[in-house]
């Protein structure tokens, strides 16, 4: 990884491939989801809760059943109405850094020059006059969505845990007599506990917008049927 601060002098001619594929890091069966994208993501993907290496809760979109399998990828790219922000960001990230004038560190865009999306072809980052291209403006919005989502995620899961909404779940999928899958170590929001909320708990979650986030997690579980259908179509195409 060669991550550097993005600027329109050193990177005036830099181009980035905006499409999706295994070669660009999209061959994954789960990807991080932020609360800022739950509304769009719950229309496409099952949203699961896992624990990271630090034993903290995080949300992920389930994309496939086999290792490194993304059932939303096909020959045309990523086949879905919404693509998770972490997969859209490509070689870009946000890091706190002081600008040339000093002062307090602020979020600034960095780019990994070793990322496979960096190419002689692709989307330009800057206009000939030096301004940001439409593609870079879109990347900036995506990074903002990630940055804001990371700020929200910790307090959101703390509130869910405080009110006893998080529960472990068993996901077992049987495709035929010889093929079955289990998705281990995952959690979700308990629908019965969510619907039973009242008083201070209900008011707090409603006022903070976290009630909708919990409802989106619950509603997203219906997408497991679509994931199974995608898996069956993939198997049939390979038969």
């Amino acid at each position: 990884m060669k991550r550097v601060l993005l600027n329109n002098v050193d990177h005036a001619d830099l181009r980035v491939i905006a499409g999706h594929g295994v070669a660009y890091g999209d061959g994954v069966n789960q990807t991080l989801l932020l609360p800022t994208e739950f509304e769009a993501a719950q229309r496409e993907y099952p949203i699961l809760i896992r624990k990271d290496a630090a034993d903290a809760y995080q949300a992920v979109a389930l994309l496939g059943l086999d290792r490194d399998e993304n059932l939303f990828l096909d020959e045309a790219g990523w086949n879905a109405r919404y693509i998770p922000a972490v997969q859209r960001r490509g070689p870009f990230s946000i890091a706190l850094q002081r600008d040339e004038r000093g002062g307090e560190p602020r979020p600034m865009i960095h780019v990994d020059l070793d990322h496979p999306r960096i190419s002689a072809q692709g989307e330009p980052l800057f206009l000939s006059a030096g301004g940001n291209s439409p593609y870079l403006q879109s990347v900036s919005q995506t990074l903002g969505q990630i940055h804001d989502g990371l700020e929200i995620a910790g307090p959101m899961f703390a509130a869910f845990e405080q009110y006893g909404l998080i529960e472990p779940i068993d996901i077992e999928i049987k495709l035929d007599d010889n093929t079955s899958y289990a998705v281990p170590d995952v959690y979700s929001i308990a629908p019965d506990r969510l619907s039973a909320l009242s008083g201070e708990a209900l008011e707090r979650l409603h006022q903070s917008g976290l009630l909708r986030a919990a409802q989106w997690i619950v509603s997203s579980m219906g997408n497991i049927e679509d994931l199974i259908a995608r898996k069956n179509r993939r198997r049939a195409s390979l038969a």
Side-chain angles (χ1 to χ4, degrees):
M1 180 181 291
K2 186 179 179 182
R3 194 176 72 172
V4 299
L5 179 65
L6 183 68
N7 65 84
N8 61 1
V9 176
D10 298 328
H11 309 121
D13 298 322
L14 200 65
R15 289 178 175 264
V16 175
I17 296 173
H20 291 272
V22 173
Y24 308 130
D26 294 317
V28 292
N29 68 2
Q30 296 178 25
T31 191
L32 182 70
L33 273 183
L34 287 311
T36 44
E37 55 186 333
F38 280 4
E39 182 177 9
Q42 58 92 24
R43 301 186 182 105
E44 298 283 335
Y45 314 102
I47 302 175
L48 306 178
I49 301 171
R50 304 199 70 118
K51 287 189 174 181
D52 63 16
D55 208 36
Y57 287 117
Q58 62 180 11
V60 298
L62 184 63
L63 306 176
L65 300 177
D66 281 305
R67 183 180 178 87
D68 301 328
E69 175 185 66
N70 185 343
L71 292 169
F72 294 85
L73 279 183
D74 57 28
E75 62 279 359
W78 195 300
N79 181 16
R81 293 167 294 178
Y82 180 80
I83 301 173
V86 167
Q87 302 303 132
R88 294 201 316 271
R89 72 177 179 179
F92 303 98
S93 59
I94 284 183
L96 293 176
Q97 185 166 331
R98 291 183 174 87
D99 60 21
E100 64 275 6
R101 296 184 297 275
E104 289 296 320
R106 60 188 181 89
M108 303 183 75
I109 298 178
H110 289 63
V111 59
D112 176 13
L113 297 178
D114 289 336
H115 196 279
R117 289 184 185 276
I118 302 295
S119 173
Q121 284 78 40
E123 299 289 337
L125 301 182
F126 298 102
L127 304 175
S128 57
N132 294 350
S133 71
Y135 173 70
L136 185 54
Q137 291 175 18
S138 175
V139 166
S140 180
Q141 292 173 352
T142 296
L143 293 176
Q145 185 180 30
I146 293 172
H147 183 266
D148 293 344
L150 290 172
E151 292 288 319
I152 297 170
M156 179 188 73
F157 286 119
F160 290 168
E161 193 169 26
Q162 176 184 351
Y163 298 122
L165 297 179
I166 300 175
E167 66 173 2
I169 57 172
D170 295 320
I171 298 179
E172 297 182 359
I173 296 170
K174 186 173 183 179
L175 299 183
D176 56 40
D177 290 341
N178 300 312
T179 309
S180 62
Y181 295 90
V183 183
D185 305 321
V186 292
Y187 304 79
S188 189
I189 298 297
D192 55 339
R193 299 178 199 168
L194 183 62
S195 61
L197 284 175
S198 61
E200 183 272 338
L202 182 62
E203 180 67 16
R204 177 189 171 192
L205 293 181
H206 174 69
Q207 291 294 332
S208 64
L210 299 182
L211 184 61
R212 289 187 300 170
Q215 292 167 335
W216 287 328
I217 292 174
V218 172
S219 65
S220 77
M221 297 304 290
N223 292 320
I224 289 179
E225 293 300 321
D226 176 66
L227 199 70
I228 293 172
R230 286 175 180 268
K231 180 63 174 179
N232 283 330
R233 289 196 296 270
R234 180 71 56 88
R235 294 175 75 210
S237 70
L238 298 175

